[in-house]
Amino acid sequence: FRSQAEGDRRLGRRAWGEEGAGAMSSDLSVERLEAFRARAWVASRMALAVRGDLPAKDVEAEVRRAFSGLPAGAAARAAKPAAAPPVGATAECLRAPGVDPPLLLVGRGVEIADDADFFGWQALAHVLGESHSSRLVRRLRLEEPLVYTVETDWLTAGRGRLTLRVSCQTEEVERSRAVILEEIGRLAEREVTAEELATAVAILRSRVLLDRQSPHAALGRWARGVLAPSPGLDLTAAGPVLDRLTPAGLLALARRGGRLAVSVVIGEPAVCAGKEGSR
């Protein structure tokens, strides 16, 4: 339990980019910097950060003056739908004797702008891996017997922020991680089916009804309500929001952004031998 708690903590920090630049500074190389540039650079677009005790209007005027004489660049590349988020440098391995088979945690941070986002992501989580009919259960357990169980749930990461977490124990860590990343990416590539959405909504409705009598669930609803964008959100009154969910709306939600997917592997020291970010 202690190892998984530590894994969850690091997963959440990595999913929201809170490890800090110093955590990677000793591991930088020209190849990794070039890979980052190729993944993140877009022609004719630039983000400029100015720090200091200066009036914003004066800074804006100076920036406009300084850049006004530059020639126009090539047209920016058209934005592409999100693909499977790369794992790359975001992998980490925690040595934990006795954890066999290894525990794989994959997470993606998502921002919640309103109540529709909140319940939309709950539906997407069900499609991904929160029920026996989910995509990950079908692929990781039925089609490729890589795991016995796979769970998809949420870690709270502050007001308006959640970390989608997929967890499983498997001897086939790399193959399982590849499948999970692929399925996370698919959420932003094409619409869920009407059947998948109907199943997810039905499960969410049932869960809300069953949880009304559970003190533990009531405390959980209260906590999620505090972290939701609308402080007074009544999670038992989710019906109208669920009624408005559509496959197109969920696709737009998944494409809106979010953090890159990250992963943490917890296992015997031999599992972490030679792995990037092992501790």
Side-chain angles (χ1 to χ4, degrees):
F1 293 112
R2 180 178 300 176
S3 296
Q4 180 163 350
E6 173 64 12
D8 286 343
R9 184 183 68 80
R10 295 193 182 183
L11 188 75
R13 290 178 60 187
R14 282 181 171 269
W16 289 97
E18 294 170 358
E19 284 290 331
M24 295 179 59
S25 60
S26 62
D27 201 25
L28 290 178
S29 66
V30 173
E31 290 77 14
R32 290 187 62 180
L33 288 173
E34 171 58 24
F36 173 78
R37 185 206 65 79
R39 184 174 75 246
W41 181 82
V42 177
S44 300
R45 293 182 183 176
M46 179 179 67
L48 177 65
V50 179
R51 179 179 179 182
D53 187 16
L54 299 170
K57 59 183 180 60
D58 294 345
V59 174
E60 180 181 359
E62 177 59 23
V63 169
R64 289 184 180 279
R65 184 200 64 76
F67 285 90
S68 62
L70 295 179
R77 296 182 304 193
K80 297 180 180 179
V87 67
T90 58
E92 183 172 349
C93 194
L94 297 179
R95 298 182 178 90
V99 180
D100 186 26
L103 176 63
L104 170 64
L105 305 174
V106 178
R108 182 189 180 193
V110 298
E111 295 182 356
I112 307 299
D114 53 31
D115 299 347
D117 287 359
F118 185 84
F119 287 108
W121 275 111
Q122 309 305 310
L124 285 171
H126 278 283
V127 171
L128 184 64
E130 276 199 80
S131 68
H132 293 299
S133 62
S134 69
R135 295 177 178 184
L136 287 177
V137 170
R138 183 182 69 250
R139 291 197 60 187
L140 292 177
R141 180 172 180 178
L142 301 180
E143 295 180 2
E144 301 183 55
L146 300 173
V147 306
Y148 183 72
T149 60
V150 56
E151 297 182 356
T152 301
D153 52 11
W154 296 96
L155 301 173
T156 56
R159 190 173 184 82
R161 304 198 313 182
L162 295 173
T163 302
L164 176 68
R165 177 185 64 178
V166 180
S167 58
C168 61
Q169 280 191 278
T170 176
E171 297 286 359
E172 302 290 340
V173 171
E174 296 305 324
R175 177 57 188 157
S176 298
R177 177 164 53 188
V179 170
I180 293 169
L181 291 174
E182 181 182 337
E183 291 300 333
I184 291 176
R186 280 184 61 204
L187 295 177
E189 291 174 354
R190 61 182 67 92
E191 295 181 1
V192 303
T193 67
E195 182 180 2
E196 286 177 318
L197 176 58
T199 300
V201 169
I203 292 174
L204 284 170
R205 291 186 194 280
S206 299
R207 178 170 295 178
V208 167
L209 291 174
L210 291 172
D211 284 353
R212 285 183 178 179
Q213 304 303 319
S214 167
H216 181 270
L219 288 172
R221 288 197 304 271
W222 175 83
R224 291 193 298 272
V226 169
L227 292 169
S230 300
L233 174 65
D234 180 5
L235 295 180
T236 65
V241 179
L242 295 175
D243 289 338
R244 293 191 293 270
L245 295 181
T246 64
L250 293 183
L251 178 62
L253 178 63
R255 284 181 173 179
R256 189 182 304 160
R259 316 291 296 189
L260 295 180
V262 300
S263 66
V264 174
V265 180
I266 305 172
E268 294 279 357
V271 174
C272 295
K275 296 287 187 182
E276 178 182 6
S278 62
R279 299 180 185 180

